[in-house]
Amino acid sequence: MIVEETNKPANFKLHDLRCFDAVARFGSFQAAADALHRSHPSVFAAVARLEQHLGLTLLDRSGYRVELTEAGRMFHARATVSLHDIDGLDAYARQLATGEETILRIVLGDLCPRPLILGALSNFFAGRQRTRLHLDYEAVSGPFKRLRDGTADLIFHRADPSSYDFEQIGLCVIRLLPVAAPGFLPYEPDVEMTPRLLQPFTQCVIRDTAGNVTSENHFLIDGAPRCSVPDHAMKKELILHRMAWGHLPDFMVEDELRIGSLINLQGRYLPGRMETLAATRRNDLPHGPVAEELWERLKKGVGKP
């Protein structure tokens, strides 16, 4: 009787698998060799060796450009997942070996109340001199793109409950209010604003740093002239100078609404929106000890010890 060996180790090298992945991604042996800093013959031999071990033809070499065979496409899809896991395991091992991360990359989104978040980060990193905090700013869908690209470890931005590859901690609720400076609109204070009444007037919007222009509808009024700015601070300046109207977070306009230098346009047709500010990170990547400690701290609440 023949007993099937279920725990048989893989009979190919990780190096060969990485060479095949590079050829599949870059479309040629030379491009793969350049990316891996290897010679063309060594990459060619590695892929041939992998095919021999697997008993599969992974690449079609008959044309001008190397193409994946059907078996090659299926195998590469699975190999990509495995290589991602191996890279994550390697990064995690290096973090464990050093004890603490050397750098933690955090992105603040356009809805982030900076004094609150920066105060919390300052207190947290004050006693962690071996981990350098790298801060950046992105707007609209930019923070989520940075997470997916792997160029950010943590973001502070609006919650996105539709993303299954993220885990999030809700920190506070922010109201986005439609506002204008007195005198910008030629209407009496008791007139309820509608999109049609606002259509002739310039609307200020935040530019999406991810480059998306149609992915989300942020209160845009069809046919209205628009100006775009990089952040809410610049938007607020334009609105205060009667150059546009737009939506701003409540924490930025409380004083102005109280003293009357801004007018709240909120109503049935301009309801504004409630957003949850969240700390968000990938749930499919390992996180180092400092990142984990910060995450646990945030679960207790921003600003709490």
Side-chain angles (χ1 to χ4, degrees):
M1 182 176 68
I2 298 176
V3 179
E4 184 178 355
E5 195 175 345
T6 57
N7 295 320
K8 184 179 180 180
N11 60 350
F12 53 82
K13 298 178 180 179
L14 179 59
H15 166 73
D16 297 349
L17 191 63
R18 290 195 185 280
C19 287
F20 165 67
D21 172 63
V23 174
R25 288 187 293 111
F26 294 104
S28 76
F29 286 101
Q30 187 59 58
D34 292 342
L36 296 174
H37 305 290
R38 303 278 182 177
S39 67
H40 181 288
S42 69
V43 173
F44 190 92
V47 176
R49 187 166 53 241
L50 177 64
E51 290 178 314
Q52 182 180 2
H53 283 314
L54 297 175
L56 295 171
T57 301
L58 301 174
L59 298 174
D60 181 357
R61 301 166 175 81
S62 62
Y64 175 76
R65 183 178 174 86
V66 176
E67 300 284 349
L68 287 169
T69 63
E70 183 61 27
R73 278 190 290 272
M74 296 175 66
F75 182 76
H76 184 247
R78 184 67 178 270
T80 301
V81 176
S82 298
L83 288 172
H84 176 80
D85 290 342
I86 290 170
D87 291 339
L89 185 62
D90 180 63
Y92 188 56
R94 282 187 276 108
Q95 288 173 345
L96 291 177
T98 58
E100 291 185 354
E101 303 94 311
T102 57
I103 187 171
L104 199 60
R105 303 161 302 173
I106 295 178
V107 170
L108 306 183
D110 57 88
L111 278 186
C112 181
R114 295 177 190 175
L116 177 67
I117 300 303
L118 291 178
L121 293 176
S122 176
N123 291 335
F124 178 80
F125 282 97
R128 294 162 181 82
Q129 301 299 323
R130 290 192 295 177
T131 299
R132 181 166 61 91
L133 171 62
H134 184 280
L135 274 178
D136 210 343
Y137 167 83
E138 300 283 350
V140 192
S141 63
F144 299 119
K145 183 178 186 296
R146 292 285 297 274
L147 273 185
R148 292 190 175 95
D149 289 349
T151 58
D153 302 303
L154 177 71
I155 66 171
F156 291 92
H157 196 40
R158 61 171 58 87
D160 183 7
S162 65
S163 295
Y164 297 112
D165 51 346
F166 296 156
E167 57 180 326
Q168 305 178 72
I169 301 172
L171 301 175
C172 63
V173 174
I174 296 170
R175 291 185 304 155
L176 282 166
L177 303 174
V179 296
F184 176 71
L185 300 172
Y187 305 118
E188 296 297 325
D190 59 343
V191 173
E192 185 172 28
M193 289 295 103
T194 66
R196 185 171 182 179
L197 289 177
L198 288 171
Q199 192 176 47
F201 302 97
T202 300
Q203 181 180 8
C204 189
V205 297
I206 301 290
R207 286 195 292 271
D208 191 336
T209 55
N212 298 325
V213 293
T214 58
S215 59
E216 296 182 62
N217 181 1
H218 291 280
F219 318 106
L220 299 181
I221 293 182
D222 290 338
R226 294 173 196 157
C227 63
S228 64
V229 293
D231 56 36
H232 280 109
M234 184 66 177
K235 181 193 267 193
K236 180 179 176 180
E237 288 296 321
L238 263 66
I239 294 173
L240 284 170
H241 283 84
R242 298 182 178 87
M243 299 175 70
W245 73 275
H247 288 75
L248 287 171
D250 54 358
F251 62 84
M252 291 188 67
V253 297
E254 291 175 347
D255 293 340
E256 288 77 9
L257 290 174
R258 186 177 63 254
I259 65 177
S261 57
L262 285 177
I263 299 172
N264 189 348
L265 305 178
Q266 196 172 15
R268 180 173 38 162
Y269 300 103
L270 267 75
R273 188 160 69 191
M274 306 287 280
E275 295 278 9
T276 297
L277 178 75
T280 305
R281 68 180 186 179
R282 294 266 296 269
N283 60 19
D284 60 340
L285 293 178
H287 302 283
V290 176
E292 284 292 347
E293 189 177 351
L294 176 57
W295 190 255
E296 292 302 316
R297 178 75 61 86
L298 292 170
K299 286 182 179 178
K300 298 177 181 179
V302 177
K304 295 183 180 179

